[in-house]
Amino acid sequence: MENNELETLRQQVAEFKSRLDKQEIVSDRMLREAMLSRTKWMIDANRFALPLSLLVIGLMIYYYYSMHLMPLWILILFIVVFLIEIASNLLNAQLIRPDIIATHNLVKVRRELTKFRRREKLYLMINLPLIALTIILWAWQRPDLFQAWVAILIGFLIGTLIGFFIFWREMRSINETLRQIDEYENAL
Amino acid sequence: MDRKEEFFNRVAREYRSTIYTVCFMYATDQDEAADLMQEVLIELWQSIDSLAEVRNPRSWIYRLALNVCISQDRRRRRHHTVPLTMDIDPYDEPDPNSQQMELLRRRISRLPMFDRAIVLLWLENMSYDEIATIVGISVKNVSVRLVRIREQLKQMSDN
């Protein structure tokens, strides 16, 4: 590309911006909405995860005490799995602090956000087999509820298989993005 | 209106054309540009305190806007964005300048995301040092990238 062509492109952008300067573009309403906005969805999701997990734990304890269908050790195992999930979410949320977008360069931000997505998926895939194992053990403890357990397990296994397929595809795309970022940073 | 709100309003209006230009380059239509603009303003509001201590606000604004545009997950688009207050639609305007800009945008949109950022900053007359700091790569890498990008843009224009 010749230098004069490049200069033409720069001139086009300058002209475009001078036309934009004559436009209002951002209304008072738009600015007000930005000021009233909540934090990003990812941070929100992590904030919701904690009370939601606590709610599930509460319901399980209630279930245990009111119906006595669940052995205590399974209840403890469930709670441990949920606590691991809560801790991993909180740990992961550190990667997407609200100031990251304003204070870090493009490569770093893209890398952190991709790492966040990767960790999120990995945590989920570690927890799913734990939940499956807990259901199997619970079924084994209560053979009288055999039919119900078979139905739950089949449903869970189908869901897990679909989940693993989506997980595998997403992880491939995430790893590819991380590889591209590495290449981009180092290639000359 | 308190001092923080006043500062935010002033910055948002002062840099509106800069922010819009970045959004324009990363969006495919005016609705998406409005969506990105809103996201940039949200980030700006949430980070406005740190802007007061920044030596080069223009560079800071570019980094923020580019980070939002590159990181935005398009599948999670908001659907209640406030429309932009503009009487032109640069994506669909009959005048020659808008059409040339749209042509340039289409060519740039075929580049990878970081390369798009580099060429945009370069078109805004930023130095290699500034571009390197915003993107997070070495100055040498910026210059090599720009040579490749210019070749790619030339090929696109020849085709």
Side-chain angles (χ1 to χ4, degrees):
Chain A
M1 190 170 260
E2 302 296 325
N3 276 343
N4 55 351
E5 280 183 76
L6 297 170
E7 277 317 307
T8 311
L9 292 182
R10 277 185 165 163
Q11 221 175 323
Q12 270 176 30
V13 174
E15 273 174 39
F16 180 66
K17 283 185 76 178
S18 72
R19 285 182 69 204
L20 290 175
D21 281 334
K22 290 174 193 142
Q23 302 288 322
E24 191 187 342
I25 305 178
V26 284
S27 58
D28 287 342
R29 192 178 145 215
M30 200 174 207
L31 294 174
R32 210 170 36 249
E33 291 234 346
M35 288 188 271
L36 293 170
S37 68
R38 295 183 64 86
T39 47
K40 291 192 84 62
W41 68 268
M42 286 185 287
I43 297 163
D44 278 347
N46 276 289
R47 281 186 186 151
F48 284 127
L50 181 65
L52 198 70
S53 305
L54 292 174
L55 180 74
V56 172
I57 290 172
L59 283 173
M60 281 163 59
I61 293 169
Y62 168 77
Y63 185 66
Y64 170 73
Y65 279 111
S66 62
M67 301 181 82
H68 299 287
L69 281 172
M70 190 191 283
L72 183 63
W73 66 270
I74 285 184
L75 178 72
I76 292 167
L77 191 62
F78 251 129
I79 290 172
V80 168
V81 170
F82 272 106
L83 289 176
I84 291 171
E85 174 73 22
I86 294 167
S88 54
N89 273 330
L90 290 174
L91 193 74
N92 207 17
Q94 297 302 308
L95 281 177
I96 49 157
R97 296 182 317 274
D99 64 328
I100 185 175
I101 281 185
T103 51
H104 294 294
N105 60 56
L106 310 187
V107 171
K108 164 110 177 156
V109 169
R110 186 75 179 153
R111 187 190 293 284
E112 295 296 288
L113 290 176
T114 312
K115 267 205 278 185
F116 170 84
R117 278 181 57 206
R118 188 173 191 276
R119 276 199 203 170
E120 208 178 38
K121 309 259 172 283
L122 280 172
Y123 292 149
L124 181 72
M125 282 302 129
I126 291 168
N127 280 340
L128 268 182
L130 278 173
I131 295 170
L133 179 73
T134 317
I135 293 174
I136 291 166
L137 290 172
W138 192 359
W140 180 64
Q141 287 273 317
R142 293 294 308 256
D144 51 312
L145 298 171
F146 181 75
Q147 278 183 333
W149 288 123
V150 168
I152 290 171
L153 265 179
I154 288 173
F156 187 82
L157 285 175
I158 292 170
T160 306
L161 279 177
I162 296 169
F164 265 107
F165 176 69
I166 296 167
F167 166 77
W168 174 75
R169 279 184 54 187
E170 289 199 4
M171 281 304 274
R172 207 171 58 163
S173 131
I174 288 170
N175 289 335
E176 176 58 22
T177 309
L178 284 172
R179 191 191 60 76
Q180 281 173 7
I181 294 170
D182 283 338
E183 252 183 40
Y184 192 88
E185 262 186 311
N186 303 320
L188 276 180
Chain B
M1 198 186 281
D2 68 18
R3 206 177 272 185
K4 185 182 171 183
E5 288 176 358
E6 221 169 89
F7 183 50
F8 167 70
N9 274 268
R10 191 160 56 77
V11 171
R13 291 198 198 278
E14 193 178 328
Y15 289 96
R16 68 189 189 282
S17 63
T18 297
I19 300 171
Y20 179 81
T21 306
V22 175
C23 298
F24 170 77
M25 287 293 180
Y26 278 86
T28 49
D29 55 42
Q30 188 75 328
D31 286 343
E32 199 179 344
D35 204 37
L36 285 175
M37 189 88 189
Q38 186 75 43
E39 288 294 331
V40 174
L41 291 176
I42 291 169
E43 278 302 332
L44 178 66
W45 168 247
Q46 284 167 3
S47 323
I48 198 76
D49 292 334
S50 53
L51 178 61
E53 297 147 22
V54 167
R55 270 191 301 171
N56 186 349
R58 183 170 167 252
S59 198
W60 189 91
I61 295 277
Y62 264 113
R63 189 173 53 194
L64 183 109
L66 284 166
N67 264 330
V68 171
C69 291
I70 288 176
S71 311
Q72 187 68 14
D73 189 343
R74 303 295 153 85
R75 285 171 300 178
R76 294 181 187 278
R77 283 179 62 178
R78 292 147 50 94
H79 295 286
H80 306 290
T81 307
V82 183
L84 296 166
T85 317
M86 294 170 75
D87 53 27
I88 55 166
D89 177 357
Y91 294 90
D92 190 23
E93 199 73 11
D95 76 282
N97 180 265
S98 293
Q99 285 186 345
Q100 279 174 339
M101 268 309 282
E102 174 57 8
L103 205 64
L104 176 64
R105 187 195 66 77
R106 282 192 196 167
R107 278 154 69 187
I108 291 176
S109 71
R110 287 160 68 185
L111 298 170
M113 282 201 171
F114 292 129
D115 285 352
R116 261 191 257 179
I118 291 178
V119 75
L120 180 59
L121 295 169
W122 177 82
L123 285 169
E124 292 273 13
N125 277 313
M126 285 216 171
S127 69
Y128 283 14
D129 273 336
E130 276 180 299
I131 298 174
T133 311
I134 293 173
V135 179
I137 55 175
S138 67
V139 176
K140 197 176 171 193
N141 204 347
V142 171
S143 93
V144 174
R145 286 269 158 200
L146 269 170
V147 171
R148 287 184 196 159
I149 292 167
R150 279 148 69 159
E151 274 168 21
Q152 280 175 283
L153 287 176
K154 183 173 167 38
Q155 275 177 0
M156 284 180 212
S157 115
D158 289 345
N159 292 336

